Amino acid sequence: MKYHICEDVTTRLKGREILVIKGKNGKQYRLKKEVMNMWKGIMEGITEKEIVEETGISHELLSDYLKEFEKHNLIKKGEGKLQVEKTVLWEIYDRKYTIHKAGLVITDECNLRCRHCYNEFEREKREKLTIEQWKDVVIQLKNLGCYNIMITGGEALLYKNIFDLLDFIDRSGFTFTINSNGILIDEKIVSKLKKYTNLDSVCITLYGLSKETYADFCRREIDPQKVINNIKLLNENGIDTIIQFNYNNNTFEDALELKQFEKKYNLQLNKSISYIYSNLTASKSEDFNLSDEQLKRLYDEKIIEINDKCNPCTSCGRERCSISSRGDVSICELMGAHPIGNITKNSLMEIWSSLECERFLENNNPNQECDSCDVKDFCVRCDGVSLIECGDRKGISKRLCDYTRKLKKVKESGVIKR
């Protein structure tokens, strides 16, 4: 038998798909392209018989391959199906940049209509990816070295096949996070979530503490007590939960009550605040960001924290990507309206090594004017925000500049008092 497994992974071959897997023993092994379809079947948890039927490989040759995989602790047999060891990672080393993290917008559907939401443009009716296509996306991400997936929407829990997809992601060895507004969580959902080995956390966004705030900002009649109870349910079942409050000028009055809220329910919120980017150009949409006075009060009462060690985001297209429910691939979730390809037309490998992607990467350095700015340490400089608000990735958002100066002013004015 000509071995298709070798421990030499130093060669980086351009134009060829070389699958690299990492075993429980810490060693890495390279597989040739002709073995990849078989490995894909193993990743999907199908039987040996199904692999033979789908790949055309003979039983004898498959048996030889499987013996080698077992020898190197890459797979195990159980209940008639082949299983990949949970510690096995695999990737392709034939690209300048790999994808470490990916955001999967598995559905555009949402049970809220938040006034600031930048996903408004995604609610148009177009054909969505099937569950089989999403699983193929997961496998392709593995091929590009991805190890972490963020599941989001819309409201991710509205996706009808979400647990089929999460089962596959968990079995494939990814760590993953689920973003949700927390409304749909119940005991049945929690019982399924707690079984996942690789679930990192569930991130819940709380949009207020009153029905009136939800009705005004989220434009839906929601009782926040339901969300709070669901957060407690997650915590009681040992599921790591991140609670992100949406600090903005509509939720300010509710934010003032957060310290009492944390004490009452024995919960801890993320105190970091984020710039609320507009979902249209800055001249055509409402500014939801906190005013100077609102920022100062929340900061003085130690409800929020202000980071003065920010760095411009340079991970888009280098470390992470975003894939929409229609298969559009962008280098960042904020650039969803400007895709560099679609996985229904090309493989993720082809898209990620395309000239379109390279053009984005070549211009991935901070604007020189921003680089010399006196408030850059407080700035959450992001090309996605510039693209959304200015129509130009290297444009400068006046709103973001004004907001950043507010942060610096509040932080520095409160140093002595705190």
Side-chain angles (χ1 to χ4, degrees), residues 186-201:
D186 56 23
E187 291 185 359
K188 184 178 179 181
I189 287 176
V190 170
S191 67
K192 292 181 179 180
L193 293 177
K194 67 189 294 185
K195 294 178 181 178
Y196 292 126
T197 304
N198 298 310
L199 174 60
D200 186 36
S201 62

Side-chain angles (χ1 to χ4, degrees), residues 303-368:
I303 295 173
I304 62 171
E305 297 175 350
I306 296 177
N307 185 8
D308 59 357
K309 292 179 173 60
C310 296
N311 292 305
C313 176
T314 58
S315 63
C316 56
R318 294 183 184 271
E319 298 177 0
R320 70 182 184 195
C321 74
S322 177
I323 302 175
S324 79
S325 63
R326 301 182 302 274
D328 289 332
V329 179
S330 56
I331 65 174
C332 167
E333 53 268 24
L334 294 186
M335 299 187 190
H338 302 268
I340 56 175
N342 188 288
I343 58 96
T344 64
K345 299 177 181 177
N346 299 97
S347 70
L348 193 53
M349 172 68 76
E350 291 170 333
I351 295 170
W352 216 241
S353 58
S354 67
L355 291 176
E356 185 69 22
C357 184
E358 290 296 335
R359 278 195 289 268
F360 267 89
L361 295 176
E362 288 170 1
N363 195 29
N364 205 33
N365 297 313
N367 185 298
Q368 288 186 351

Side-chain angles (χ1 to χ4, degrees), residues 88-99:
V88 170
L89 302 173
W90 51 300
E91 58 186 293
I92 289 179
Y93 285 84
D94 64 348
R95 180 165 157 59
K96 187 176 181 181
Y97 304 113
T98 58
I99 301 174

Side-chain angles (χ1 to χ4, degrees), residues 83-271:
Q83 298 177 0
V84 178
E85 292 286 358
K86 288 186 178 299
T87 55
V88 170
L89 302 173
W90 51 300
E91 58 186 293
I92 289 179
Y93 285 84
D94 64 348
R95 180 165 157 59
K96 187 176 181 181
Y97 304 113
T98 58
I99 301 174
H100 295 162
K101 301 180 180 182
L104 305 187
V105 184
I106 59 176
T107 180
D108 302 329
E109 295 181 50
C110 190
N111 45 5
L112 299 178
R113 287 296 182 269
C114 300
R115 292 165 61 187
H116 74 305
C117 185
Y118 66 87
N119 268 338
E120 286 281 358
F121 61 83
E122 297 235 284
R123 296 199 175 112
E124 58 187 277
K125 299 294 182 181
R126 282 175 54 186
E127 187 174 350
K128 306 298 192 294
L129 296 183
T130 65
I131 182 61
E132 290 75 20
Q133 288 174 313
W134 273 125
K135 288 181 179 179
D136 188 61
V137 166
V138 170
I139 291 173
Q140 291 187 58
L141 285 169
K142 271 287 188 182
N143 283 346
L144 283 170
C146 183
Y147 58 82
N148 179 268
I149 289 177
M150 177 181 69
I151 299 295
T152 187
E155 169 52 45
L157 294 176
L158 282 172
Y159 179 53
K160 64 180 181 179
N161 293 312
I162 183 169
F163 288 106
D164 190 3
L165 180 59
L166 293 182
D167 288 346
F168 186 74
I169 290 172
D170 188 64
R171 188 169 66 244
S172 299
F174 288 91
T175 57
F176 62 99
T177 299
I178 303 169
N179 285 354
S180 172
N181 56 39
I183 296 170
L184 299 176
I185 291 172
D186 56 23
E187 291 185 359
K188 184 178 179 181
I189 287 176
V190 170
S191 67
K192 292 181 179 180
L193 293 177
K194 67 189 294 185
K195 294 178 181 178
Y196 292 126
T197 304
N198 298 310
L199 174 60
D200 186 36
S201 62
V202 176
C203 183
I204 304 292
T205 302
L206 193 59
Y207 291 98
L209 301 179
S210 68
K211 295 179 181 179
E212 293 75 18
T213 302
Y214 267 86
D216 176 46
F217 190 67
C218 302
R219 296 182 283 200
R220 290 293 185 270
E221 298 294 331
I222 301 295
D223 184 354
Q225 188 62 50
K226 177 177 176 58
V227 180
I228 294 167
N229 291 340
N230 292 341
I231 291 172
K232 292 174 63 179
L233 182 62
L234 288 166
N235 284 339
E236 290 167 0
N237 282 272
I239 298 173
D240 189 16
T241 309
I242 299 171
I243 312 171
Q244 178 68 59
F245 189 82
N246 193 294
Y247 299 97
N248 63 74
N249 54 25
N250 290 77
T251 63
F252 171 70
E253 294 298 330
D254 289 15
L256 292 173
E257 302 175 20
L258 287 178
K259 291 187 75 173
Q260 294 83 351
F261 166 82
E262 289 181 311
K263 185 177 181 179
K264 179 180 179 180
Y265 294 103
N266 193 28
L267 297 172
Q268 186 170 358
L269 277 70
N270 186 338
K271 290 180 169 54

